[in-house]
Short mmCIF file of all heavy atoms in Angstrom, two decimals:
data_model
loop_
_atom_site.label_atom_id
_atom_site.label_comp_id
_atom_site.label_asym_id
_atom_site.label_seq_id
_atom_site.Cartn_x
_atom_site.Cartn_y
_atom_site.Cartn_z
N MET A 6 -22.57 21.35 50.30
CA MET A 6 -21.39 21.95 50.92
C MET A 6 -20.93 23.16 50.10
O MET A 6 -20.93 23.12 48.88
CB MET A 6 -20.28 20.89 50.97
CG MET A 6 -19.23 21.22 52.02
SD MET A 6 -18.04 19.86 52.18
CE MET A 6 -16.74 20.44 51.12
N ALA A 7 -20.55 24.18 50.78
CA ALA A 7 -20.11 25.40 50.09
C ALA A 7 -18.80 25.16 49.35
O ALA A 7 -17.96 24.38 49.81
CB ALA A 7 -19.93 26.53 51.10
N LYS A 8 -18.67 25.81 48.23
CA LYS A 8 -17.42 25.69 47.47
C LYS A 8 -16.34 26.49 48.19
O LYS A 8 -16.59 27.53 48.78
CB LYS A 8 -17.61 26.26 46.06
CG LYS A 8 -18.50 25.39 45.21
CD LYS A 8 -18.30 25.69 43.73
CE LYS A 8 -19.09 26.90 43.29
NZ LYS A 8 -19.08 27.07 41.82
N ARG A 9 -15.12 25.97 48.11
CA ARG A 9 -13.99 26.67 48.71
C ARG A 9 -13.19 27.36 47.63
O ARG A 9 -12.99 26.82 46.56
CB ARG A 9 -13.08 25.67 49.44
CG ARG A 9 -13.70 25.08 50.69
CD ARG A 9 -12.93 23.87 51.17
NE ARG A 9 -11.54 24.18 51.45
CZ ARG A 9 -11.09 24.56 52.66
NH1 ARG A 9 -11.92 24.67 53.67
NH2 ARG A 9 -9.82 24.82 52.84
N VAL A 10 -12.74 28.58 47.94
CA VAL A 10 -11.97 29.32 46.95
C VAL A 10 -10.52 29.44 47.44
O VAL A 10 -10.27 29.58 48.63
CB VAL A 10 -12.62 30.71 46.69
CG1 VAL A 10 -12.58 31.59 47.92
CG2 VAL A 10 -11.95 31.41 45.52
N ILE A 11 -9.61 29.35 46.50
CA ILE A 11 -8.19 29.48 46.85
C ILE A 11 -7.49 30.45 45.89
O ILE A 11 -7.93 30.62 44.76
CB ILE A 11 -7.45 28.12 46.81
CG1 ILE A 11 -7.62 27.44 45.44
CG2 ILE A 11 -7.92 27.18 47.92
CD1 ILE A 11 -6.66 26.30 45.20
N VAL A 12 -6.41 31.05 46.38
CA VAL A 12 -5.54 31.85 45.53
C VAL A 12 -4.22 31.10 45.40
O VAL A 12 -3.59 30.74 46.40
CB VAL A 12 -5.28 33.24 46.15
CG1 VAL A 12 -4.17 33.97 45.40
CG2 VAL A 12 -6.56 34.08 46.14
N ASP A 13 -3.83 30.84 44.16
CA ASP A 13 -2.54 30.18 43.92
C ASP A 13 -1.42 31.18 44.24
O ASP A 13 -1.22 32.17 43.52
CB ASP A 13 -2.48 29.74 42.45
CG ASP A 13 -1.21 28.93 42.16
OD1 ASP A 13 -0.18 29.21 42.80
OD2 ASP A 13 -1.27 28.05 41.30
N GLN A 14 -0.71 30.91 45.32
CA GLN A 14 0.29 31.87 45.80
C GLN A 14 1.48 31.99 44.85
O GLN A 14 2.18 33.01 44.85
CB GLN A 14 0.77 31.46 47.20
CG GLN A 14 -0.35 31.48 48.26
CD GLN A 14 -0.82 32.90 48.56
OE1 GLN A 14 -0.03 33.75 48.90
NE2 GLN A 14 -2.13 33.14 48.41
N GLU A 15 1.72 30.96 44.08
CA GLU A 15 2.83 31.02 43.12
C GLU A 15 2.52 31.99 41.98
O GLU A 15 3.40 32.70 41.50
CB GLU A 15 3.07 29.63 42.51
CG GLU A 15 3.46 28.57 43.52
CD GLU A 15 4.90 28.74 43.96
OE1 GLU A 15 5.75 28.95 43.08
OE2 GLU A 15 5.16 28.67 45.17
N GLU A 16 1.26 31.98 41.58
CA GLU A 16 0.86 32.75 40.40
C GLU A 16 0.51 34.21 40.72
O GLU A 16 0.65 35.08 39.87
CB GLU A 16 -0.36 32.09 39.75
CG GLU A 16 -0.12 30.66 39.30
CD GLU A 16 0.68 30.60 38.01
OE1 GLU A 16 0.53 31.49 37.19
OE2 GLU A 16 1.48 29.67 37.87
N CYS A 17 0.01 34.45 41.92
CA CYS A 17 -0.50 35.78 42.28
C CYS A 17 0.60 36.84 42.14
O CYS A 17 1.72 36.64 42.61
CB CYS A 17 -1.02 35.76 43.72
SG CYS A 17 -1.56 37.38 44.31
N ILE A 18 0.25 37.97 41.49
CA ILE A 18 1.22 39.05 41.31
C ILE A 18 0.92 40.23 42.22
O ILE A 18 1.56 41.28 42.12
CB ILE A 18 1.25 39.52 39.83
CG1 ILE A 18 -0.14 40.01 39.38
CG2 ILE A 18 1.75 38.39 38.92
CD1 ILE A 18 -0.13 40.72 38.02
N GLY A 19 -0.06 40.07 43.10
CA GLY A 19 -0.32 41.10 44.12
C GLY A 19 -0.90 42.39 43.57
O GLY A 19 -0.65 43.47 44.11
N CYS A 20 -1.71 42.29 42.52
CA CYS A 20 -2.24 43.51 41.90
C CYS A 20 -3.36 44.15 42.72
O CYS A 20 -3.63 45.34 42.61
CB CYS A 20 -2.77 43.20 40.50
SG CYS A 20 -4.27 42.20 40.51
N GLY A 21 -4.02 43.36 43.56
CA GLY A 21 -5.07 43.90 44.42
C GLY A 21 -6.45 43.95 43.81
O GLY A 21 -7.41 44.39 44.46
N ASN A 22 -6.61 43.52 42.57
CA ASN A 22 -7.93 43.57 41.93
C ASN A 22 -8.97 42.78 42.71
O ASN A 22 -10.12 43.23 42.86
CB ASN A 22 -7.86 42.99 40.52
CG ASN A 22 -7.23 43.95 39.54
OD1 ASN A 22 -6.84 45.05 39.90
ND2 ASN A 22 -7.12 43.52 38.29
N CYS A 23 -8.59 41.61 43.20
CA CYS A 23 -9.58 40.77 43.89
C CYS A 23 -10.09 41.44 45.16
O CYS A 23 -11.28 41.39 45.46
CB CYS A 23 -9.00 39.40 44.19
SG CYS A 23 -7.44 39.45 45.07
N GLU A 24 -9.21 42.10 45.88
CA GLU A 24 -9.64 42.80 47.10
C GLU A 24 -10.54 43.98 46.74
O GLU A 24 -11.51 44.26 47.43
CB GLU A 24 -8.43 43.28 47.90
CG GLU A 24 -8.85 43.92 49.22
CD GLU A 24 -7.69 44.43 50.06
OE1 GLU A 24 -6.56 43.99 49.84
OE2 GLU A 24 -7.95 45.26 50.93
N ASP A 25 -10.23 44.67 45.64
CA ASP A 25 -11.07 45.78 45.21
C ASP A 25 -12.49 45.31 44.91
O ASP A 25 -13.47 45.96 45.27
CB ASP A 25 -10.50 46.43 43.94
CG ASP A 25 -9.24 47.24 44.24
OD1 ASP A 25 -8.98 47.51 45.41
OD2 ASP A 25 -8.54 47.58 43.28
N VAL A 26 -12.58 44.15 44.25
CA VAL A 26 -13.88 43.65 43.80
C VAL A 26 -14.63 42.96 44.94
O VAL A 26 -15.85 43.07 45.05
CB VAL A 26 -13.68 42.66 42.62
CG1 VAL A 26 -14.97 41.95 42.26
CG2 VAL A 26 -13.13 43.40 41.42
N CYS A 27 -13.91 42.27 45.79
CA CYS A 27 -14.55 41.39 46.77
C CYS A 27 -13.77 41.42 48.11
O CYS A 27 -13.16 40.43 48.51
CB CYS A 27 -14.59 39.98 46.19
SG CYS A 27 -15.76 38.90 46.97
N PRO A 28 -13.81 42.55 48.80
CA PRO A 28 -12.99 42.72 50.01
C PRO A 28 -13.38 41.82 51.19
O PRO A 28 -12.58 41.63 52.09
CB PRO A 28 -13.15 44.20 50.36
CG PRO A 28 -14.40 44.63 49.69
CD PRO A 28 -14.55 43.78 48.46
N ASP A 29 -14.60 41.28 51.16
CA ASP A 29 -15.00 40.37 52.25
C ASP A 29 -14.25 39.04 52.18
O ASP A 29 -14.13 38.34 53.18
CB ASP A 29 -16.50 40.07 52.18
CG ASP A 29 -17.32 41.26 52.59
OD1 ASP A 29 -16.75 42.21 53.17
OD2 ASP A 29 -18.54 41.26 52.32
N VAL A 30 -13.78 38.70 51.00
CA VAL A 30 -13.20 37.37 50.79
C VAL A 30 -11.68 37.43 50.58
O VAL A 30 -10.96 36.56 51.06
CB VAL A 30 -13.88 36.68 49.58
CG1 VAL A 30 -13.22 35.34 49.27
CG2 VAL A 30 -15.37 36.49 49.85
N PHE A 31 -11.21 38.47 49.89
CA PHE A 31 -9.79 38.54 49.55
C PHE A 31 -9.12 39.72 50.26
O PHE A 31 -9.70 40.80 50.35
CB PHE A 31 -9.60 38.70 48.03
CG PHE A 31 -10.23 37.60 47.25
CD1 PHE A 31 -11.49 37.75 46.69
CD2 PHE A 31 -9.56 36.39 47.07
CE1 PHE A 31 -12.08 36.72 45.97
CE2 PHE A 31 -10.14 35.36 46.35
CZ PHE A 31 -11.41 35.53 45.80
N LYS A 32 -7.91 39.47 50.73
CA LYS A 32 -7.16 40.53 51.41
C LYS A 32 -5.73 40.50 50.87
O LYS A 32 -5.08 39.46 50.87
CB LYS A 32 -7.18 40.24 52.91
CG LYS A 32 -6.70 41.31 53.83
CD LYS A 32 -7.48 42.61 53.89
CE LYS A 32 -8.95 42.55 54.20
NZ LYS A 32 -9.68 43.78 53.88
N LEU A 33 -5.27 41.65 50.41
CA LEU A 33 -3.91 41.72 49.87
C LEU A 33 -2.92 41.89 51.02
O LEU A 33 -3.05 42.80 51.83
CB LEU A 33 -3.80 42.91 48.90
CG LEU A 33 -2.46 43.06 48.18
CD1 LEU A 33 -2.19 41.86 47.28
CD2 LEU A 33 -2.43 44.35 47.39
N ASP A 34 -1.95 41.00 51.08
CA ASP A 34 -0.85 41.13 52.04
C ASP A 34 0.21 42.00 51.38
O ASP A 34 0.90 41.57 50.47
CB ASP A 34 -0.29 39.74 52.38
CG ASP A 34 0.80 39.83 53.46
OD1 ASP A 34 1.58 40.81 53.42
OD2 ASP A 34 0.86 38.94 54.31
N LYS A 35 0.31 43.24 51.84
CA LYS A 35 1.16 44.21 51.15
C LYS A 35 2.65 43.88 51.31
O LYS A 35 3.45 44.25 50.47
CB LYS A 35 0.86 45.62 51.64
CG LYS A 35 -0.54 46.06 51.24
CD LYS A 35 -0.75 47.56 51.38
CE LYS A 35 -2.09 47.99 50.81
NZ LYS A 35 -3.24 47.54 51.56
N ASP A 36 3.01 43.21 52.38
CA ASP A 36 4.42 42.83 52.56
C ASP A 36 4.82 41.73 51.59
O ASP A 36 5.84 41.79 50.92
CB ASP A 36 4.67 42.36 54.00
CG ASP A 36 4.54 43.53 54.98
OD1 ASP A 36 4.78 44.67 54.56
OD2 ASP A 36 4.17 43.29 56.14
N LYS A 37 3.96 40.71 51.53
CA LYS A 37 4.26 39.56 50.65
C LYS A 37 3.89 39.84 49.20
O LYS A 37 4.32 39.13 48.29
CB LYS A 37 3.49 38.32 51.12
CG LYS A 37 4.05 37.71 52.40
CD LYS A 37 3.50 36.32 52.63
CE LYS A 37 2.42 36.33 53.67
NZ LYS A 37 1.76 35.06 53.90
N GLU A 38 3.05 40.88 48.99
CA GLU A 38 2.52 41.18 47.66
C GLU A 38 1.78 39.97 47.08
O GLU A 38 1.94 39.62 45.91
CB GLU A 38 3.61 41.69 46.71
CG GLU A 38 4.18 43.01 47.18
CD GLU A 38 5.17 43.62 46.21
OE1 GLU A 38 5.70 42.90 45.36
OE2 GLU A 38 5.40 44.83 46.31
N LYS A 39 1.02 39.33 47.95
CA LYS A 39 0.18 38.21 47.55
C LYS A 39 -1.19 38.41 48.18
O LYS A 39 -1.30 38.96 49.27
CB LYS A 39 0.74 36.87 48.07
CG LYS A 39 2.14 36.54 47.60
CD LYS A 39 2.17 36.07 46.18
CE LYS A 39 3.59 35.79 45.71
NZ LYS A 39 3.67 35.48 44.30
N SER A 40 -2.20 37.92 47.50
CA SER A 40 -3.54 38.01 48.05
C SER A 40 -3.87 36.73 48.81
O SER A 40 -3.47 35.63 48.42
CB SER A 40 -4.53 38.21 46.92
OG SER A 40 -5.81 38.39 47.46
N GLU A 41 -4.57 36.88 49.91
CA GLU A 41 -4.99 35.73 50.70
C GLU A 41 -6.50 35.67 50.75
O GLU A 41 -7.18 36.70 50.70
CB GLU A 41 -4.48 35.85 52.14
CG GLU A 41 -2.97 35.80 52.24
CD GLU A 41 -2.50 36.13 53.65
OE1 GLU A 41 -3.24 36.76 54.41
OE2 GLU A 41 -1.38 35.73 53.98
N VAL A 42 -7.00 34.46 50.88
CA VAL A 42 -8.44 34.28 51.07
C VAL A 42 -8.71 34.36 52.57
O VAL A 42 -8.20 33.57 53.34
CB VAL A 42 -8.90 32.92 50.51
CG1 VAL A 42 -10.39 32.72 50.77
CG2 VAL A 42 -8.62 32.84 49.02
N VAL A 43 -9.50 35.34 52.97
CA VAL A 43 -9.80 35.48 54.39
C VAL A 43 -11.13 34.82 54.75
O VAL A 43 -11.45 34.64 55.91
CB VAL A 43 -9.80 36.97 54.83
CG1 VAL A 43 -8.39 37.52 54.78
CG2 VAL A 43 -10.73 37.81 54.00
N LYS A 44 -11.89 34.49 53.73
CA LYS A 44 -13.16 33.79 53.97
C LYS A 44 -13.23 32.64 52.98
O LYS A 44 -13.64 32.82 51.84
CB LYS A 44 -14.33 34.75 53.80
CG LYS A 44 -15.64 34.17 54.26
CD LYS A 44 -16.71 35.24 54.31
CE LYS A 44 -17.98 34.67 54.90
NZ LYS A 44 -19.07 35.63 54.88
N VAL A 45 -12.79 31.48 53.41
CA VAL A 45 -12.62 30.35 52.49
C VAL A 45 -13.95 29.76 52.06
O VAL A 45 -14.14 29.42 50.90
CB VAL A 45 -11.73 29.27 53.15
CG1 VAL A 45 -11.62 28.05 52.26
CG2 VAL A 45 -10.36 29.83 53.45
N GLU A 46 -14.87 29.66 52.98
CA GLU A 46 -16.17 29.04 52.66
C GLU A 46 -17.29 30.04 52.89
O GLU A 46 -17.22 30.88 53.77
CB GLU A 46 -16.42 27.83 53.56
CG GLU A 46 -15.63 26.62 53.13
CD GLU A 46 -15.99 25.41 53.96
OE1 GLU A 46 -17.17 25.03 53.95
OE2 GLU A 46 -15.11 24.88 54.63
N GLY A 47 -18.31 29.89 52.08
CA GLY A 47 -19.54 30.65 52.31
C GLY A 47 -19.46 32.09 51.88
O GLY A 47 -20.31 32.89 52.23
N GLY A 48 -18.44 32.45 51.12
CA GLY A 48 -18.36 33.82 50.60
C GLY A 48 -19.37 34.00 49.49
O GLY A 48 -19.91 33.03 48.97
N PRO A 49 -19.66 35.24 49.17
CA PRO A 49 -20.62 35.51 48.10
C PRO A 49 -20.09 35.07 46.73
O PRO A 49 -19.10 35.61 46.25
CB PRO A 49 -20.82 37.02 48.15
CG PRO A 49 -19.64 37.54 48.90
CD PRO A 49 -19.11 36.44 49.76
N VAL A 50 -20.75 34.07 46.14
CA VAL A 50 -20.25 33.45 44.91
C VAL A 50 -20.12 34.47 43.78
O VAL A 50 -19.14 34.49 43.05
CB VAL A 50 -21.19 32.29 44.49
CG1 VAL A 50 -20.81 31.78 43.10
CG2 VAL A 50 -21.10 31.16 45.50
N LYS A 51 -21.12 35.35 43.67
CA LYS A 51 -21.11 36.30 42.56
C LYS A 51 -19.87 37.19 42.63
O LYS A 51 -19.18 37.41 41.64
CB LYS A 51 -22.38 37.15 42.61
CG LYS A 51 -22.58 37.98 41.38
CD LYS A 51 -23.98 38.59 41.37
CE LYS A 51 -24.26 39.35 40.09
NZ LYS A 51 -23.24 40.29 39.72
N CYS A 52 -19.57 37.67 43.81
CA CYS A 52 -18.42 38.56 43.92
C CYS A 52 -17.11 37.79 43.78
O CYS A 52 -16.14 38.32 43.24
CB CYS A 52 -18.58 39.41 45.17
SG CYS A 52 -17.40 39.50 46.41
N ILE A 53 -17.08 36.54 44.19
CA ILE A 53 -15.87 35.73 43.97
C ILE A 53 -15.67 35.51 42.46
O ILE A 53 -14.54 35.62 41.96
CB ILE A 53 -15.99 34.37 44.70
CG1 ILE A 53 -15.94 34.60 46.22
CG2 ILE A 53 -14.88 33.42 44.26
CD1 ILE A 53 -16.28 33.38 47.06
N GLU A 54 -16.76 35.26 41.75
CA GLU A 54 -16.64 35.07 40.30
C GLU A 54 -16.18 36.35 39.61
O GLU A 54 -15.40 36.32 38.65
CB GLU A 54 -17.97 34.57 39.72
CG GLU A 54 -18.20 33.11 40.09
CD GLU A 54 -19.56 32.57 39.65
OE1 GLU A 54 -20.44 33.40 39.32
OE2 GLU A 54 -19.73 31.34 39.66
N GLU A 55 -16.63 37.49 40.12
CA GLU A 55 -16.17 38.77 39.55
C GLU A 55 -14.68 38.95 39.81
O GLU A 55 -13.94 39.44 38.96
CB GLU A 55 -16.96 39.93 40.16
CG GLU A 55 -18.34 40.07 39.57
CD GLU A 55 -19.21 41.08 40.30
OE1 GLU A 55 -18.69 41.82 41.15
OE2 GLU A 55 -20.41 41.11 40.02
N ALA A 56 -14.22 38.54 41.00
CA ALA A 56 -12.80 38.64 41.32
C ALA A 56 -11.99 37.73 40.40
O ALA A 56 -10.91 38.10 39.93
CB ALA A 56 -12.56 38.27 42.78
N MET A 57 -12.53 36.52 40.12
CA MET A 57 -11.85 35.61 39.20
C MET A 57 -11.68 36.25 37.83
O MET A 57 -10.62 36.16 37.21
CB MET A 57 -12.65 34.31 39.05
CG MET A 57 -12.56 33.42 40.27
SD MET A 57 -13.69 32.03 40.13
CE MET A 57 -13.06 30.98 41.44
N GLU A 58 -12.73 36.94 37.38
CA GLU A 58 -12.66 37.60 36.07
C GLU A 58 -11.69 38.77 36.09
O GLU A 58 -11.05 39.08 35.10
CB GLU A 58 -14.05 38.06 35.64
CG GLU A 58 -14.91 36.90 35.15
CD GLU A 58 -16.36 37.31 34.92
OE1 GLU A 58 -16.62 38.51 34.74
OE2 GLU A 58 -17.22 36.41 34.95
N ALA A 59 -11.59 39.43 37.25
CA ALA A 59 -10.73 40.62 37.35
C ALA A 59 -9.26 40.26 37.55
O ALA A 59 -8.39 41.11 37.43
CB ALA A 59 -11.21 41.49 38.52
N CYS A 60 -8.99 39.00 37.85
CA CYS A 60 -7.60 38.59 38.13
C CYS A 60 -6.82 38.47 36.81
O CYS A 60 -7.17 37.65 35.96
CB CYS A 60 -7.59 37.26 38.87
SG CYS A 60 -5.92 36.68 39.19
N PRO A 61 -5.76 39.26 36.63
CA PRO A 61 -5.05 39.26 35.35
C PRO A 61 -4.28 37.97 35.07
O PRO A 61 -3.93 37.71 33.92
CB PRO A 61 -4.08 40.45 35.48
CG PRO A 61 -3.93 40.67 36.95
CD PRO A 61 -5.21 40.23 37.58
N VAL A 62 -4.00 37.19 36.10
CA VAL A 62 -3.24 35.95 35.87
C VAL A 62 -4.07 34.70 36.15
O VAL A 62 -3.55 33.59 36.20
CB VAL A 62 -1.93 35.93 36.70
CG1 VAL A 62 -0.99 37.03 36.22
CG2 VAL A 62 -2.20 36.08 38.19
N SER A 63 -5.36 34.88 36.36
CA SER A 63 -6.30 33.75 36.55
C SER A 63 -5.82 32.77 37.62
O SER A 63 -5.78 31.56 37.39
CB SER A 63 -6.53 33.00 35.24
OG SER A 63 -7.03 33.88 34.26
N CYS A 64 -5.46 33.30 38.78
CA CYS A 64 -4.93 32.42 39.82
C CYS A 64 -5.91 32.20 40.97
O CYS A 64 -5.53 31.65 42.01
CB CYS A 64 -3.59 32.96 40.33
SG CYS A 64 -3.73 34.47 41.27
N ILE A 65 -7.16 32.60 40.78
CA ILE A 65 -8.19 32.32 41.79
C ILE A 65 -9.00 31.12 41.30
O ILE A 65 -9.49 31.13 40.17
CB ILE A 65 -9.12 33.53 41.99
CG1 ILE A 65 -8.31 34.78 42.36
CG2 ILE A 65 -10.16 33.22 43.07
CD1 ILE A 65 -9.12 36.07 42.35
N HIS A 66 -9.08 30.10 42.12
CA HIS A 66 -9.71 28.85 41.69
C HIS A 66 -10.69 28.35 42.74
O HIS A 66 -10.51 28.58 43.94
CB HIS A 66 -8.66 27.76 41.49
CG HIS A 66 -7.56 28.15 40.56
ND1 HIS A 66 -7.74 28.27 39.20
CD2 HIS A 66 -6.27 28.44 40.80
CE1 HIS A 66 -6.59 28.64 38.65
NE2 HIS A 66 -5.69 28.75 39.59
N TRP A 67 -11.66 27.59 42.26
CA TRP A 67 -12.48 26.77 43.17
C TRP A 67 -11.68 25.52 43.48
O TRP A 67 -11.05 24.94 42.60
CB TRP A 67 -13.81 26.39 42.52
CG TRP A 67 -14.73 27.53 42.27
CD1 TRP A 67 -15.14 27.97 41.04
CD2 TRP A 67 -15.34 28.39 43.22
NE1 TRP A 67 -15.97 29.07 41.19
CE2 TRP A 67 -16.11 29.34 42.51
CE3 TRP A 67 -15.31 28.48 44.62
CZ2 TRP A 67 -16.85 30.34 43.15
CZ3 TRP A 67 -16.05 29.47 45.25
CH2 TRP A 67 -16.80 30.38 44.53
N GLU A 68 -11.77 25.09 44.72
CA GLU A 68 -11.02 23.89 45.13
C GLU A 68 -11.92 22.68 45.00
O GLU A 68 -13.09 22.75 45.33
CB GLU A 68 -10.56 24.07 46.57
CG GLU A 68 -9.50 23.11 46.99
CD GLU A 68 -9.00 23.47 48.38
OE1 GLU A 68 -9.81 23.69 49.28
OE2 GLU A 68 -7.77 23.52 48.54
S1 LIG B 240 -6.45 39.63 41.35
FE1 LIG B 240 -5.22 37.74 41.14
S2 LIG B 240 -3.12 38.46 40.88
FE2 LIG B 240 -4.29 40.18 41.65
S3 LIG B 240 -3.98 40.10 43.88
FE3 LIG B 240 -5.87 38.99 43.42
S4 LIG B 240 -5.27 36.85 43.20
FE4 LIG B 240 -3.41 38.09 43.05
#
């Protein structure tokens, strides 16, 4: 089964790094200033891991 990725909405500061690195999976909601996962399963693992590394508050997790 594919791993599911989540963004902790409490922790996210809306910097947009994850969308820059991996736009197929993460989308920044500019009104809420929070990032959302638009592709929960089956996203490219390598780019999700890069987004995790690029996140300044480490709020992207595998579920
Ligand atoms: S990189 Fe982290 S803090 Fe920045 S928008 Fe994405 S999830 Fe939020």
Side-chain angles (χ1 to χ4, degrees):
M6 201 174 97
K8 290 199 278 189
R9 290 166 58 91
V10 64
I11 55 165
V12 170
D13 185 328
Q14 297 292 305
E15 298 285 315
E16 300 284 326
C17 176
I18 59 170
C20 70
N22 284 0
C23 53
E24 184 180 340
D25 288 346
V26 171
C27 199
D29 288 346
V30 175
F31 302 97
K32 191 65 55 196
L33 184 64
D34 184 322
K35 293 195 172 69
D36 292 333
K37 287 194 258 176
E38 296 185 340
K39 301 284 178 187
S40 185
E41 295 172 338
V42 178
V43 291
K44 190 169 185 184
V45 176
E46 283 185 60
V50 171
K51 190 169 185 310
C52 124
I53 292 170
E54 286 175 345
E55 283 172 10
M57 287 172 166
E58 284 171 22
C60 178
V62 294
S63 302
C64 69
I65 304 170
H66 306 288
W67 294 116
E68 195 173 48

